[in-house]
Amino acid sequence: MPLVKTWQLIAASAVAGLVLSAATVSVTGPWDSGQRKAERDRAASWSRMGGVDHGYGRLPEAAPSAPGVLSGLPAALQAEKQAGNPLGEQAGRQPGTGTGAGEGTGSEALAEALRPLLADPALGSLRSASVIDTATGRVLYEAKPRDPMTPASTVKIATATAVLAALGPEHRFRTTVTPGAAPGQIILVGGGDPSLTARKKPPAGSGGSLVALAADTAQALKAAGTDSVSLGYDDSLYSGPARHPIGLNPNVAPLSALTADEGRLNDSLSGPADRSEDPSGDTARAFADLLADRGIKVTGAPAKARAAADAEPLATTLSTPLGGLVERMLTNSDNDIAEALARQSALASGQPGSFEGAGKAVAAKLASLGIDTTGARFADGSGLDRGDKVSAGLLTALLAKAADPQRPELRPVLTGLPVAGFNGTLRGRNSGGSPAAGLVRAKTGTLSGVNALAGTVVDPSGRLLAFAFLAANTPGPEGAEKALDKLAAAVAGTR
C-alpha cells in the first residue's frame, strides 16, 4: 500500500468534507482484506461473505507501521503563567520537566481555545485534561493531568493496551469439546471467548461458532461409532465472583468463560439487554440442542464437569483474532468483551482470572510498557466500577504508546476508537458540520455524574495528537457530552 503524505490528507479532507474525512482517517490503521478493521463490522453488513470472521478464508496480512513523517516543531514557547490559574494548566511543556516550557507552535493558541471550554459548568466541579503530540511526547496542554479520577468506559483503553501487550493482536481464544472421564461423556470447555455465538446465522463480526463446533463434534462422534453421549461443561477458567460489583445489570452479563452471545436474551448485538443468570448452563443446553439436531442424542441434562488438562479435543472453534475483539470492544463500548479481555490479561500474566487478578495484571502490564500508573486502580475491565481510577495523563500516554511505530501490536487501540459523526458511540456526536466530524477518534465514558472523552486527532498542522478530558460531579450527561465534544473539536481545529 503506498504511503499517503500529510499534505494529501489535509487537502483531501478540506476538499471533500465528511465523506473523504472518514476515508482519510482510515489510512492511519491496519487493513484487513481490503477493509480498515475499525469499520469492518459496518462494511461487513453490506458484503456477501460478511467480511469479518477470520475463520473463513485467508488470514489478514500484517500491516506495516507508518514511519514518522513529522519532525518535532522547533519554535520555543514561554511557560504558561501559573498565577491565577485554578485549573493548574500548562501548555507547551516537555513531560516530566514541571517547568511549563517546551518546544512547539500552537500550544498557546490551544490553551486559549481550551481554557474557557474546560471551565464550562456542564463539566461539573472536577475536571482534568491532557493533550500531547504523540510523535514527540510533548505536552501541548494540561490541567491537573495526574489527578486520578473515575474514568468510566475510557478505562477500556487501558484494558485494550494490556491484553494486546500480553497476547498480541492475532491471538485467538478456543472453545473445545473433549472426551470426559466417564464412558460416553463429552465436555464442552470454555476458553473465555467473548465472541462465541450460538446463532445459526452468525452476526457480522462474530468469532467462535457453537453451531460449527456442534457439527464438527457430531462428525467426530459418528466417525467413532457413537450416537449417544452425556454432556458436561467446564467453565473453570475464571475464578472469583461471576457477578460484577454493580450487581444484576443489563450492561453486562455474569462473567463466565463459557458464554454464547454475551448471555443476551434477545437478538441484540450490543448495548443494554436482559441477560442470562446462568450463561454457562444456557450455553451448554444450547450446545446439546445443536448436537441433537445433528443426530447425536444427549442423555440427561448438561452438568458441570472438569476436563482433563491433557485431553485431546474432539473439535475446536476459535474466536475472532484479539485485535478484532479489541476494536469491537472500543467501537461499541462492549462491557462483556472488556471484562473477558481483562481476565485474559490476568491469565496470561499468571494471575487468577478474577476481578482482583485482572486489576493486578493490567497495572503490571502497563507499568512494563513504561506507563506511569501512580494513583491508578483497575477495579474492573469495563469502567462500570466507580472504583476505577486513572488520570488524563495516563490515558494520553497509552494512546501515544499505541501510536508508536515500534509497537505495532498495540495499533488496534487506535483503529478501534469510534469516529466522530460516523460509528460506534460517537456516531451522533460531533457530526454534520462539526470540524471534528470524521477526524476525531475517541473513547467515550459515561456514568451518573461522570463523563469522559479520550482519543486522537490529526490537527491542522498534520500532527497526531492524543487528548483526554475527564469530568466528575457533572449535572447531566447531555450538557457534559456537548462540552466534551467542543473540547475535542477545539483540539481538531486549533493550529
Side-chain angles (χ1 to χ4, degrees), residues 132-155:
I132 67 173
D133 183 332
T134 64
T136 65
R138 284 199 61 254
V139 173
L140 303 180
Y141 177 81
E142 60 182 21
K144 300 182 179 179
R146 284 163 289 282
D147 286 8
M149 295 182 64
T150 301
S153 279
T154 59
V155 83

Side-chain angles (χ1 to χ4, degrees), residues 148-211:
M149 295 182 64
T150 301
S153 279
T154 59
V155 83
K156 291 182 174 77
I157 294 172
T159 302
T161 304
V163 74
L164 287 167
L167 294 171
E170 297 304 322
H171 186 83
R172 296 174 185 242
F173 307 114
R174 296 173 178 266
T175 305
T176 62
V177 176
T178 68
Q185 183 190 43
I186 60 172
I187 300 177
L188 176 64
V189 185
D193 174 10
S195 68
L196 184 65
T197 180
R199 293 184 170 102
K200 294 182 179 180
K201 182 180 180 182
S206 73
S209 169
L210 213 60
V211 177

